[in-house]
Amino acid sequence: MSMGRVAVALEGALVAAVVLAAAVLPALRGPDLGPYSISMDKAGPVAAVPPASAGASTGSYTWNCGRNERGHRNTANIVVTPGRPGPQHHTHDYVGNLGVQPDSTVDSLVGKPTTCTNGDASTYFWPVLRYVEPGRDVHGGPVQVPVSLTMTYRGNPRGPVLAMPRLLRVQVGDAYAHTNGGKLAKAWWTCSDTLDRMTMDYPACEDGAQVVRIFEFPSCWDGRQLDSPGHRQQVVFPAEGGGCPVGTFAVPQLRITMTYAVPPGTRYQIDAFDGQDNHPATDHGFLVNLMPDAVMKRVVSCLNEGKQCDETSTRRAAS
């Protein structure tokens, strides 16, 4: 074979190798899970819980408000923009009070029915989670219903808690964290098989594990306001060590834990405002307290007396 033919053959083999590599490498890299996905082996450890002082409220209270199986969703935010709908691409899931509609206000929720089996008529809401499908708008993927949703109130490691006042508004996270620098971002993610590690990115869970989404709300009330201009100053987070800042009082701390059965290799994201790139750091949640006084009294008693109270099967009418 002449040198020319050898060169042509080598060139053809090289081209074939490049074409094969272009076809194989994407498969080796795996599915495109988006720019904010993370393997849990790269996530950080869960922060240590502050040790409880003498007289701390070490109890808990767990109850059941469902998983939004009814599909109660719309674009309203009755805390930030009461009485009018929000942008069409930013949809909220609701559990609890069934009266939240696009034109609702906080006051209009009083007396409405609830999904909570203990009669809690509060509303709890957050952005929906969607699968991202090729060829569909980023806001148009199918909404996912959690396979489990746990509501738990916890106490304060430095002392007793006071009852939350009715109509108190509490916010966790920042819907604009992607462009605000992330200082107020507070939502956490993990996988059901790596609960000792957490991240603010979307976790890529292993086969058989569920995606876990966690909100831990602030719990130090100023004792005066039910709301404030920024919707944050009335209830703030505990200081380092768990105690409440001067001028604030500990109230029950709400933790909401949701799990989603996301198949491995499936891209997912929350609904976010335009300009926020569906970034997981923009995850956020709200509560408006309409828990009946008798139920709130039980919550406070369980926490302050160190009892682990579970009323997930309780069925009472809202009052």
Side-chain angles (χ1 to χ4, degrees):
M1 181 182 293
S2 68
M3 293 299 294
R5 290 181 178 178
V6 171
V8 170
L10 289 173
E11 182 177 354
L14 179 62
V15 170
V18 170
V19 171
L20 179 62
V24 171
L25 284 177
L28 293 176
R29 285 195 298 265
D32 178 14
L33 298 181
Y36 308 118
S37 176
I38 187 174
S39 171
M40 286 306 296
D41 60 0
K42 298 178 181 176
V46 173
V49 177
S53 301
S57 43
T58 57
S60 65
Y61 177 92
T62 301
W63 75 112
N64 177 23
C65 293
R67 302 176 288 114
N68 196 21
E69 305 94 322
R70 301 182 184 212
H72 183 191
R73 303 184 186 98
N74 57 54
T75 63
N77 187 323
I78 60 170
V79 175
V80 178
T81 54
R84 59 188 176 89
Q88 291 185 356
H89 60 265
H90 186 70
T91 301
H92 287 129
D93 266 324
Y94 298 90
V95 299
N97 196 296
L98 287 167
V100 184
Q101 300 300 326
D103 61 349
S104 295
T105 65
V106 168
D107 291 337
S108 74
L109 302 186
V110 177
K112 296 296 192 297
T114 177
T115 65
C116 301
T117 59
N118 66 346
D120 176 17
S122 306
T123 182
Y124 309 89
F125 59 98
W126 48 82
V128 299
L129 184 146
R130 300 180 185 270
Y131 288 164
V132 180
E133 296 184 336
R136 296 189 68 172
D137 179 84
V138 293
H139 302 295
V143 172
Q144 299 306 298
V145 177
V147 296
S148 70
L149 193 157
T150 304
M151 312 275 290
T152 301
Y153 270 126
R154 303 184 299 181
N156 183 280
R158 291 292 174 266
V161 298
L162 302 176
M164 279 188 182
R166 284 171 65 84
L167 299 182
L168 181 68
R169 289 75 146 171
V170 190
Q171 176 180 185
V172 61
D174 179 13
Y176 297 94
H178 185 49
T179 53
N180 276 352
K183 183 175 68 173
L184 298 175
K186 284 290 185 181
W188 293 98
W189 302 79
T190 185
C191 298
S192 58
D193 61 347
T194 57
L195 296 177
D196 60 336
R197 306 182 73 81
M198 285 189 177
T199 178
M200 283 192 177
D201 291 319
Y202 295 124
C205 298
E206 300 291 336
D207 191 13
Q210 296 174 337
V211 171
V212 182
R213 182 183 187 186
I214 301 170
F215 293 122
E216 292 186 348
F217 283 72
S219 56
C220 296
W221 177 46
D222 70 3
R224 300 178 293 106
Q225 303 180 96
L226 300 179
D227 197 7
S228 59
H231 313 293
R232 297 180 189 276
Q233 295 90 341
Q234 75 280 9
V235 186
V236 299
F237 283 94
E240 185 176 353
C244 282
V246 174
T248 65
F249 308 88
V251 294
Q253 183 201 36
L254 176 63
R255 179 185 174 111
I256 299 177
T257 305
M258 292 169 273
T259 64
Y260 297 86
V262 178
T266 302
R267 183 174 175 179
Y268 63 93
Q269 62 191 18
I270 59 169
D271 265 8
F273 291 123
D274 282 342
Q276 299 303 311
D277 202 28
N278 297 100
H279 197 292
T282 65
D283 204 6
H284 56 282
F286 287 85
L287 84 84
V288 177
N289 178 48
L290 277 166
M291 186 173 274
D293 292 343
V295 181
M296 179 59 70
K297 184 177 180 179
R298 289 200 303 276
V299 172
V300 170
S301 176
C302 290
L303 271 51
N304 286 343
E305 295 177 15
K307 299 177 181 178
Q308 312 307 309
C309 300
D310 187 337
E311 292 196 355
T312 53
S313 61
T314 300
R315 293 192 174 277
R316 290 184 173 88
S319 58

